[in-house]
Structure formats: structure tokens, C-alpha cells
Amino acid sequence: MRTGFVFSETISVEGITYRSIPEIASKLGMNISSDDYGQKVTLESKWSKVEFVNGSRLIKVNGAKMHLGFSLFEKEKTLYMPELDWQFTLSPILIPVQISPHQKRIHSIIIDPGHGGKDPGAQNSKLGLKEKELTLAVSKLLEKQLKKMGYKVYLTRRTDKFIELGDRPLLASKKKADLFISIHFNASENDSAVGVESYAYTLLNQPSSSRSTTDNVDRVFRRANRNDSLNVLLAYYLQTSILKNTNEVDRGIKRARFTVLETLPCPGALVELGFINNPQTGANLKTTAYLESLANGILEAIVQYQTRINPS
């Protein structure tokens, strides 16, 4: 990183506050390095590594892809990231999250098998695969494992039943849940699409990962935003653990204003466990062993999350 000049710790551009990467490195106690033009910057410590690229919304945290609300940019050979992403995307993963005592121990978990009934979700007609059946299968495998560990587990549906998206988070309120995970599979017109992605609810005043500019909906504070830091921490562990258990392609940790997450009273995330119409993924999903590897990935993520928020 260039030395011998003074950079601003924060700057404002078009009403958005950005924080300098050198300032973040200082706060984290991490070493900083960059190319000669400040376009690529890496922060590294004994425990963590973060990679930034000018003009991109994509960063890598310990090798995992994460999507920011807005692109990074360079000024006077200093790279800046959105302040909200520093506070609620990067910081929760690298710095212990400040949480209330009642959130430290997970007792009750809601597992939400996506789709059901009249809504089959994604399909692979060649292999006879339906998303609604796969999400329920993975959810039941996960439920069995979690119950063995002593957790109270509730499924939003146990059969091939249609449940409105807005009704699913109601179970989290009814059961006073500590965690909510919604399980899905992807599909694409191009059957070469592949990979896993995990979603946390979008931050206030930022666009979801599918858009680059804000809209009116982005300026409304939702109940899910109360748990922004824990939402992204959960999504991070889900993504990294599922990838480790499946060797799937990393499509990143993203943000979306999904209805199923919007009114949650507890931390929650949504996972897309692969493209059902990809030939190789589809073949994998025909096997119980692969479904078990997906359930194991989610299970390990929950354990990592629990250990992180309550290390004692």
C-alpha cells in the first residue's frame, strides 16, 4: 500500500459512506499488501485472509466469496468498501459479535423445506427430481441429526404440503426459535450452471445482490434487519461448511429480501444447495449419500455458529 500521504478513514460518495481498507486493516490488526496501483488489496493475519479488488462487489473471506451491497472503489491509491458492509458483512465474521445473553445458547431450530404441494419448485424431468421432495428429504435427515444432539427441531412442513411464504416464519415466532434455516435448490435455463449459494437478508439502504442500484423497498427497515450481524455469520458458516462437505462450486454468500426471511424474530438464512438440472449435480442428488453430505454440512455450520456465539 502506498505510504507518505494521508488518506481519509471514511468518505461519502452519492450519500453512501465508505471506509478505507487501511483503516480496516488497522482495526483488525491484520497485515496489508497491494499491487502498485492499489487495485488489489489483501489483508492477512495468522487466522484470516480477506481479498479485495477495485470495482468489484465480490470479496473473499478465508477463501469464501461474499457479495457486498456496493462495489469497492479506489481514491488516491486507497481502496474503500461500504461502511455498512464493514459493520454488518465483514466485521461479524472477523470480530466477536456483541449479542444479548438469551441469544448465546441455541435450543430451538426451525428447518424450512422450500416449496411443497402445488409448488414443486425446480425440476429435472430427465432424472425425476423435484425440488420440493429434495428439500424435505434433506430437512428430515438434518432434523434427525440435530435431535440426536439435543436440539428442539421443528419443520415448517413434514409432508407434501403447500405453505405460503409469509406463514413459514410464523413458526419461528410461535416456537420462540433461536435459528431459522430455509432449504432450497436452484435451476437454470443453462444446465451447465453449478454451485451452492447462501443468503442473508439484505441490509437497510442497500440493494440485494441481484441488483446494483437501490429502490424504495431497500429503504424500509424489516424485522430481519435486527439480526443483520448474526444473519450473515450464519450464512457464512453454512456456505463454507456445505462447500467443505460436498466439494461444490462456491457461488458466494449473497443478500436478498426473501419473504421467508423478512419477518423472522431470530437469526436466519436461506441456502440454495445446487442446480437440480445440472447433470452431475442431478446425478449426485439421486443418492442418499449426497443428501446426507448436504445435511452434514448444515449440521456442522450450526455447531460452528453455536461455538462462535457461545465459546464457553
Side-chain angles (χ1 to χ4, degrees), residues 61-62 66 89-95 97 232-233 236-237 308:
V61 183
N62 298 323
M66 299 197 72
T89 301
L90 185 57
S91 178
I93 295 169
L94 300 180
I95 300 176
V97 181
V232 78
L233 188 63
Y236 170 77
Y237 284 125
R308 174 64 182 277

Side-chain angles (χ1 to χ4, degrees), residues 117-129:
K118 65 181 182 180
D119 177 13
Q123 298 183 69
N124 183 330
S125 56
K126 290 182 180 179
L127 295 177
L129 297 173

Side-chain angles (χ1 to χ4, degrees), residues 16 69-70 205-208 211-219:
I16 301 168
F70 298 101
N205 293 322
Q206 285 195 349
S208 295
R211 292 185 285 111
S212 59
T213 58
T214 55
D215 201 346
N216 289 336
V217 68
D218 302 323
R219 302 178 182 90

Side-chain angles (χ1 to χ4, degrees), residues 4-185:
F5 72 101
V6 178
F7 59 82
S8 299
E9 293 181 0
T10 61
I11 59 176
S12 181
V13 179
E14 296 182 355
I16 301 168
T17 301
Y18 293 81
R19 183 166 295 273
S20 75
I21 304 304
E23 168 65 9
I24 290 171
S26 176
K27 285 180 176 292
L28 295 173
M30 299 177 75
N31 297 320
I32 182 170
S33 60
S34 74
D35 61 13
D36 292 338
Y37 301 97
Q39 300 297 297
K40 297 180 180 180
V41 176
T42 300
L43 306 186
E44 198 160 7
S45 71
K46 180 180 178 181
W47 303 276
S48 299
K49 181 178 181 180
V50 188
E51 301 167 78
F52 304 89
V53 178
N54 182 27
S56 176
R57 292 174 73 179
L58 186 67
I59 66 173
K60 286 187 177 181
V61 183
N62 298 323
K65 296 178 180 179
M66 299 197 72
H67 294 252
L68 305 178
F70 298 101
S71 299
L72 296 111
F73 75 94
E74 176 267 336
K75 180 180 180 182
E76 296 180 339
K77 293 192 176 180
T78 298
L79 205 58
Y80 290 81
M81 73 178 295
E83 173 71 8
L84 284 177
D85 278 310
W86 155 241
Q87 292 183 21
F88 299 111
T89 301
L90 185 57
S91 178
I93 295 169
L94 300 180
I95 300 176
V97 181
Q98 298 297 315
I99 59 176
S100 58
H102 79 275
Q103 289 178 307
K104 288 188 174 182
R105 175 57 60 184
I106 299 171
H107 299 285
S108 176
I109 301 173
I110 306 295
I111 304 300
D112 174 44
H115 306 278
K118 65 181 182 180
D119 177 13
Q123 298 183 69
N124 183 330
S125 56
K126 290 182 180 179
L127 295 177
L129 297 173
K130 294 182 180 179
E131 182 179 6
K132 67 176 182 178
E133 296 173 353
L134 292 171
T135 59
L136 188 58
V138 172
S139 295
K140 287 184 174 180
L141 288 170
L142 177 59
E143 176 192 33
K144 183 178 180 180
Q145 294 171 334
L146 287 169
K147 284 186 172 180
K148 285 182 179 179
M149 298 182 68
Y151 292 106
K152 292 181 180 178
V153 186
Y154 304 94
L155 271 59
T156 55
R157 66 179 181 92
R158 305 196 64 84
T159 60
D160 186 13
K161 179 182 179 182
F162 175 75
I163 301 175
E164 295 288 349
L165 289 176
D167 291 339
R168 295 172 187 251
L170 293 178
L171 185 61
S173 296
K174 181 179 179 181
K175 298 298 183 180
K176 297 182 179 179
D178 302 302
L179 216 58
F180 180 100
I181 299 174
S182 189
I183 297 176
H184 291 259
F185 289 86

